[in-house]
Amino acid sequence: MLVQNLRLVFIGPPGIGKGTYASAISRIYGIPHISTGDIFREEIEKQTELGKKVESYVKKGELVPDEIVIEVVKNRLQKEDCKEGFILDGFPRTIKQADALEKFAKIDLVLNFYAPDEVIIERVSGRVVCPNCGAIYHLKFMPPKEPWKCDKCGSKLVRRPDDEPEVVKKRLEIYRKQFAPIIEFYRKRGLLVDVEASELADKVVPKIVKVLEEHGFPPPRSAESCG
Ligand code: AMP
């Protein structure tokens, strides 16, 4: 059984785990997880007409023009799998997009994930990878047996440039600036629910389910578990 019309927007800073939460909620409630960033990356990969149009913006980390994003989301939400609901992730990012969305879809709730900067920085900057075999570790949550050494091939582990603490800090600042008006937009409409997400996903996902339940959206009975 699918839940009736659960139309969500997820907002949260980079590194908070929003994608993980969205995938889990998508599975539990049987509604699609729609990430505009993922859509653009796929289109670029396939070099479609849309992909070619948005490539330069995405590669530079600049916003894709509103008209293009709005059209993409509008078309996506008309697909059959969105009939019972959806999770929007990465959209809206501008007031123009939020205004447009309001005209073509009803939104039931907007979940605003937050955590102290230190927690996010620790989470993101703890991520290290093996440049040789691609194995991924977390210095705190999934450490290699020997510090900075790959368990599988013994190579020295590295941190991706994007995960350096200074870079993460900068991305958090950009996020705050970009999303403050959107958060305000939905808070004013009484749709915003703040969700503290300092803990790991196995704790945050059940918390999200509880929040949804409290707002009249219990998980469908067929959902196996909310873990
Ligand atoms: P994300 O994975 O959400 O960080 O998105 C990756 C990139 O896709 C962004 O840096 C933008 O270039 C583009 N993008 C994704 N969503 C939007 C949006 N709602 N408005 C404008 N550009 C977007």
Side-chain angles (χ1 to χ4, degrees):
M1 186 190 86
L2 290 173
V3 71
Q4 274 303 310
N5 292 337
L6 176 54
R7 294 153 298 199
L8 300 171
V9 171
F10 277 17
I11 297 176
I16 196 131
K18 188 165 43 87
T20 310
Y21 311 147
S23 299
I25 296 301
S26 157
R27 190 166 36 79
I28 294 167
Y29 283 83
I31 51 177
H33 167 205
I34 300 167
S35 150
T36 41
D38 284 351
I39 294 177
F40 291 145
R41 279 184 288 270
E42 260 177 54
E43 299 282 332
I44 292 170
E45 177 77 30
K46 288 194 238 154
Q47 281 293 297
T48 60
E49 207 179 307
L50 172 65
K52 285 182 195 155
K53 236 195 264 177
V54 302
E55 186 163 16
S56 64
Y57 300 102
V58 175
K59 293 261 150 87
K60 282 187 263 172
E62 286 170 9
L63 288 183
V64 169
D66 285 331
E67 302 72 47
I68 300 178
V69 196
I70 289 167
E71 198 55 29
V72 165
V73 174
K74 194 173 172 187
N75 289 336
R76 180 64 187 87
L77 295 189
Q78 276 163 5
K79 295 225 168 108
E80 186 64 20
D81 65 339
C82 294
K83 251 177 57 194
E84 317 279 351
F86 49 79
I87 303 168
L88 281 176
D89 169 5
F91 181 95
R93 251 176 166 96
T94 64
I95 292 295
K96 202 165 163 206
Q97 293 176 14
D99 279 334
L101 177 63
E102 209 166 42
K103 296 204 177 77
F104 61 75
K106 182 184 176 293
I107 296 300
D108 297 300
L109 277 183
V110 177
L111 301 193
N112 177 35
F113 298 100
Y114 70 97
D117 280 6
E118 310 83 75
V119 173
I120 296 172
I121 292 167
E122 183 188 49
R123 229 188 251 175
V124 177
S125 304
R127 209 154 50 190
V128 288
V129 295
C130 175
N132 182 45
C133 73
I136 299 173
Y137 303 87
H138 192 285
L139 296 176
K140 182 171 174 192
F141 304 118
M142 219 209 318
K145 290 193 191 93
E146 277 182 60
W148 294 92
K149 191 172 165 188
C150 182
D151 291 349
K152 294 184 184 144
C153 70
S155 302
K156 186 175 171 353
L157 301 173
V158 296
R159 193 183 260 143
R160 292 194 181 116
D162 256 15
D163 294 344
E164 290 293 341
E166 281 313 309
V167 179
V168 179
K169 252 188 231 166
K170 189 94 207 128
R171 278 159 64 205
L172 287 174
E173 273 169 35
I174 294 169
Y175 162 78
R176 296 251 148 72
K177 248 203 195 137
Q178 196 170 77
F179 278 91
I182 302 295
I183 291 171
E184 197 44 40
F185 180 97
Y186 287 117
R187 207 184 288 286
K188 265 198 214 141
R189 282 160 176 72
L191 292 175
L192 199 84
V193 184
D194 296 305
V195 182
E196 220 275 340
S198 292
E199 294 168 295
L200 295 179
D202 59 341
K203 294 272 176 6
V204 179
V205 171
K207 200 153 124 181
I208 300 169
V209 173
K210 193 156 165 264
V211 164
L212 295 176
E213 249 172 344
E214 284 166 2
H215 285 82
F217 302 102
R221 262 169 295 162
S222 61
E224 289 152 32
S225 78
C226 51

